[in-house]
Amino acid sequence: MPVSRRPAQRTKKTLLGGAAVVVLAGLNAPAALTFAEDRYHSYKIDRPAYKAEYGSWARVVIPEKFRTNAIHAALLRTGKVLIVAGSGNDEEHFDAGTFDTVLWDPEAGTFKKIDTPEDFFCGGHAALPDGRLLIAGGTARYEVLDDKVRHAGGGMRVKNENPDKPLTLRKGTVFRSPDGVEYTSRFDVTVPKAKRAFEVDYFESGAMKPLKTKVTASEQRVFVEAVKDGPQSVTTESAQYRIRGLKGKAADNAYGLAEKITMDRQDFQGIRAAYEFDPVAEKYVPVGPMKEARWYPTLVGLEDGRVLAVSGLDDIGEILNGANEIYDAKTKKWSKGPFRYFPTYPALFLTKGGKLFYPGANAGYGPADKGRVPGLWDPGKNTFTAAGGLTDTDELETAASLMLPPVQDQKVMVLGGGGVGESRKSTARTAIVDLAKDSPVFERGPDLPQGTRYLNSVLMPDDTVFTTGGSRDYRGRGASNILKAQFYDPATNAFTPAADPTVGRNYHSEALLLPDGRVATFGSDSLYGDRANTRLGTFEQRMEVYTPPALHRSKAVRPVIGKGPESVARGGSATYAVEGSERIAAARLMRPSAVTHTTDVEQRSIELGLKKTAGKVTVTVPKDRTLVPPGWYMLFLTDARGTPSEAKWVKVG
């Protein structure tokens, strides 16, 4: 079903008055007409009746020193929003080591700079059970395009055969090939001690033979570049490289191995670093690094509170071939996860039973014919069952996706998307899959107003989905930003229009639900700044907040959640003081968002059992931890007209 259009504009004569009409008639200039139309539009959207039907937008006033390139946005259990830029897709910031994080308090309207120890640009993030935010991966090096590559480069596998101590090589270490060509490392690298094993044999009599020692070299990889520019340093031959500066046994125990060093495009490279952001102390705290470097990874919380890191570009700019790993917040360390390949920033949703559903939506890197099939992944058994029925399967990159509310319905929706890479293709297709069925397949949903990439989609307390922004073309090319917003209602399977945003949002943009029931939008990184694609774009640093219609209705009285517990056990109940409790129609636990690159696998809305007594409301949390993973949630109460309360933060153990 197509999106319904807004009511036709009433005659402007009523607004402008007779004198204004006479002036327009005499001007004979298109600019004057545009000015009048803009004035009329401003008048129309500012009317109470319009806001009560479509909602409204307002810009956030940001002091200049706090304006940043919002690459990531996450709502913390304090109600503040962590806006992470890292180097912000600005290579000059990267080269200068200028990494940025801003903490925004929507309630107080204040901002705070946070010391940022790594370039978290294009890393991953997920909420932990105690309310901290895990951030892992980011940028080790910016890309170098084909026509800019001057020095041949590639991966060098550094071997250490010394079982007694690790080997640390600093950035700039020189590796020399058998024919004298030299390459320098771009990063520090530490290679663990070699593994020592003892072999024991026995005589026929049962006596033990003397012990033998077997040493297995350890290995770590580092990106290297040729010292001299030009193609003469290109090699596709496997060879062993000596390490300059090492002598004697050290030189015998350590060496490099490389199989391919080329003049090809050099992609972004990831980092292994991981941190927890403490929302109370408001600082980053280092934890154990990942085994794999990752750039563009997805981090998804599991039912036991651990976090699975999936995909990403590695330390030499190649997409990881399926090496995933799991973080345990108790030990602050990573362990090996189930092996499966995905393109970068894949959308993965925790479903009933603990499986992860992949709708095919992703944001970025990987071949068009690998890892693109939607389906249900069982990480425990490492099995994958494909889900059919989806159309426009070649247009799932930069698609939005989410678990429809409430999560008990086990329905996943995918919205829009485009072709792989810099494709001009985009689709208006939406589709929904019901995972509660024995053999789930996608069914077509209502179309978006037009083909849309980078659409931001946000779950609302009244079980609708608010969608906004995006662009028709790759990174808003050709001035193709879409200044539209709409609500999707799962109950009617239809879209209804919302007020138009005034700021375009495409690549590197985010949207998330605030505790007061509004939606905040951030960022946008247009490739070009004009329709003809002749002027480079600039990063959009303005923020805009949407207030939904229910909060504009003149007779709306918001439910207020009073005193009650701050934590509740899974399967348990909690009672809260609520004036006018008889008006309450629904209760939802809503997990806070952590969003980047159109990918938000954190948000979910959980239906709660509801019992009303005079001046009190008792809610019951489902027992199934695959529906309610441990962590902090926003508790919303909504009346029969869809008017939500402000959220109360509740911890589910």
Side-chain angles (χ1 to χ4, degrees):
M1 184 182 299
V3 176
S4 58
R5 299 187 179 276
R6 293 165 181 71
Q9 294 182 354
R10 295 180 175 83
T11 174
K12 299 180 181 120
K13 186 173 181 179
T14 305
L15 164 66
L16 297 173
V21 173
V22 172
V23 171
L24 277 176
L27 285 174
N28 191 26
L33 182 58
T34 300
F35 173 73
E37 289 174 340
D38 288 346
R39 285 191 61 188
Y40 174 73
H41 180 71
S42 297
Y43 162 79
K44 182 182 73 171
I45 65 176
D46 197 45
R47 291 180 301 157
Y50 181 91
K51 293 179 179 179
E53 187 172 358
Y54 301 110
S56 67
W57 291 88
R59 303 267 179 88
V60 176
V61 177
I62 310 171
E64 186 172 356
K65 69 177 181 178
F66 296 114
R67 297 171 192 170
T68 193
N69 295 356
I71 306 295
H72 312 264
L75 178 64
L76 306 175
R77 61 104 165 170
T78 57
K80 298 179 182 180
V81 179
L82 194 70
I83 304 169
V84 182
S87 57
N89 203 20
D90 187 323
E91 194 165 1
E92 290 184 4
H93 287 174
F94 176 81
D95 292 339
T98 303
F99 309 141
D100 203 20
T101 301
V102 172
L103 190 63
W104 172 45
D105 186 336
E107 185 175 0
T110 57
F111 297 84
K112 177 183 178 181
K113 286 273 191 178
I114 303 295
D115 288 338
T116 309
E118 305 274 356
D119 189 3
F120 296 128
F121 169 58
C122 292
H125 31 58
L128 296 171
D130 66 356
R132 294 189 179 210
L133 183 75
L134 175 66
I135 300 180
T139 303
R141 184 173 186 246
Y142 271 60
E143 67 181 351
V144 183
L145 301 180
D146 292 309
D147 61 339
K148 302 295 184 183
V149 174
R150 298 289 178 262
H151 296 261
M156 180 73 68
R157 292 156 50 209
V158 185
K159 293 279 192 175
N160 181 17
E161 293 184 352
N162 186 346
D164 297 319
K165 64 178 182 179
L167 171 71
T168 297
L169 302 176
R170 298 301 178 192
K171 175 182 176 180
T173 295
V174 175
F175 295 82
R176 186 180 178 86
S177 73
D179 56 359
V181 181
E182 293 186 334
Y183 304 85
T184 59
S185 62
R186 289 298 306 258
F187 310 103
D188 295 347
V189 61
T190 297
V191 190
K193 294 186 294 185
K195 293 182 179 179
R196 180 189 281 124
F198 298 100
E199 294 182 351
V200 179
D201 286 335
Y202 295 88
F203 292 107
E204 290 184 7
S205 62
M208 188 172 62
K209 284 185 178 181
L211 295 176
K212 293 181 180 180
T213 302
K214 180 181 180 182
V215 174
T216 303
S218 61
E219 178 181 301
Q220 194 62 271
R221 190 168 54 176
V222 67
F223 187 80
V224 298
E225 283 185 336
V227 172
K228 295 182 179 180
D229 62 4
Q232 68 271 15
S233 300
V234 169
T235 178
T236 57
E237 299 293 327
S238 179
Q240 183 169 313
Y241 294 72
R242 295 189 64 83
I243 302 173
R244 184 195 287 179
L246 298 184
K247 298 179 180 179
K249 287 186 177 180
D252 293 336
N253 285 332
Y255 51 92
L257 293 175
E259 297 177 352
K260 184 173 67 172
I261 297 178
T262 73
M263 295 286 289
D264 296 343
R265 165 180 169 164
Q266 297 165 3
D267 261 314
F268 282 93
Q269 295 164 11
I271 61 176
R272 294 177 174 82
Y275 286 74
E276 291 180 358
F277 185 81
D278 186 330
V280 177
E282 297 182 346
K283 66 178 183 180
Y284 290 105
V285 180
V287 297
M290 296 181 290
K291 183 181 184 300
E292 303 290 345
R294 298 181 189 273
W295 187 87
Y296 264 50
T298 290
L299 271 60
V300 57
L302 304 176
E303 69 268 22
D304 58 4
R306 296 181 303 159
V307 176
L308 174 65
V310 172
S311 192
L313 299 189
D314 63 14
D315 52 350
I316 63 170
E318 295 181 353
I319 187 167
L320 287 160
N321 199 33
N324 307 311
E325 48 197 308
I326 296 175
Y327 179 75
D328 188 334
K330 295 177 182 177
T331 64
K332 312 297 184 188
K333 294 181 179 179
W334 298 82
S335 60
K336 188 176 181 180
F339 189 89
R340 183 164 187 84
Y341 174 91
F342 291 96
T344 57
Y345 278 138
L348 293 167
F349 299 101
L350 178 65
T351 70
K352 188 176 177 65
K355 296 179 182 179
L356 298 172
F357 185 74
Y358 170 53
N362 65 90
Y365 287 74
D369 59 351
K370 187 177 181 182
R372 305 280 176 168
V373 177
L376 202 57
W377 180 33
D378 185 335
K381 298 178 181 178
N382 200 15
T383 57
F384 188 88
T385 305
L390 190 63
T391 62
D392 300 342
T393 53
D394 62 339
E395 297 176 72
L396 283 168
E397 198 157 283
T398 66
S401 57
L402 42 75
M403 292 199 77
L404 288 173
V407 71
Q408 285 92 333
D409 288 352
Q410 291 290 282
K411 293 181 179 179
V412 174
M413 185 176 193
V414 61
L415 305 96
V420 172
E422 298 188 17
S423 167
R424 304 188 69 93
K425 295 172 65 176
S426 61
T427 178
R429 175 262 297 119
T430 75
I432 299 160
V433 60
D434 185 348
L435 300 177
K437 293 183 176 180
D438 291 337
S439 299
V441 295
F442 280 94
E443 296 183 2
R444 186 88 181 201
D447 280 355
L448 295 163
Q450 62 191 90
T452 308
R453 307 175 68 129
Y454 317 104
L455 184 70
N456 281 297
S457 300
V458 179
L459 301 178
M460 302 299 287
D462 65 353
D463 285 353
T464 60
V465 178
F466 178 69
T467 72
T468 180
S471 67
R472 183 184 67 257
D473 200 352
Y474 173 78
R475 287 185 63 179
R477 193 165 43 193
S480 61
N481 281 347
I482 299 168
L483 293 173
K484 290 181 181 295
Q486 48 272 322
F487 284 97
Y488 172 75
D489 187 346
T492 61
N493 192 32
F495 284 106
T496 56
D500 294 336
T502 65
V503 179
R505 308 284 182 191
N506 55 71
Y507 183 57
H508 287 152
S509 68
E510 305 83 38
L512 54 76
L513 177 68
L514 297 174
D516 62 9
R518 298 179 301 159
V519 175
T521 61
F522 319 79
S524 191
D525 197 359
S526 295
L527 192 60
Y528 296 103
D530 63 338
R531 186 175 297 277
N533 298 331
T534 59
R535 186 176 73 251
L536 289 177
T538 57
F539 203 105
E540 178 59 73
Q541 295 186 335
R542 291 175 294 175
M543 290 166 50
E544 202 170 19
V545 174
Y546 175 76
T547 301
L551 302 185
H552 280 296
R553 293 170 188 152
S554 59
K555 295 182 180 180
V557 178
R558 300 191 73 171
V560 177
I561 305 175
K563 291 183 178 181
E566 194 179 63
S567 62
V568 58
R570 194 179 296 102
S573 299
T575 300
Y576 298 91
V578 178
E579 186 176 344
S581 57
E582 69 281 356
R583 297 189 298 112
I584 303 304
R588 297 289 184 267
L589 278 185
M590 303 195 71
R591 194 169 177 91
S593 286
V595 57
T596 187
H597 293 74
T598 316
T599 306
D600 183 357
V601 301
E602 284 290 286
Q603 64 172 342
R604 63 173 49 211
S605 178
I606 302 152
E607 182 178 8
L608 303 181
L610 179 63
K611 181 180 179 182
K612 299 177 286 186
T613 56
K616 294 181 180 180
V617 165
T618 299
V619 297
T620 302
V621 178
K623 191 174 183 178
D624 189 340
R625 62 170 43 203
T626 62
L627 295 178
V628 195
W632 285 84
Y633 291 81
M634 293 180 285
L635 170 63
F636 283 98
L637 300 179
T638 306
D639 67 17
R641 297 187 62 189
T643 309
S645 66
E646 291 196 14
K648 181 178 182 65
W649 286 95
V650 177
K651 184 179 182 182
V652 178

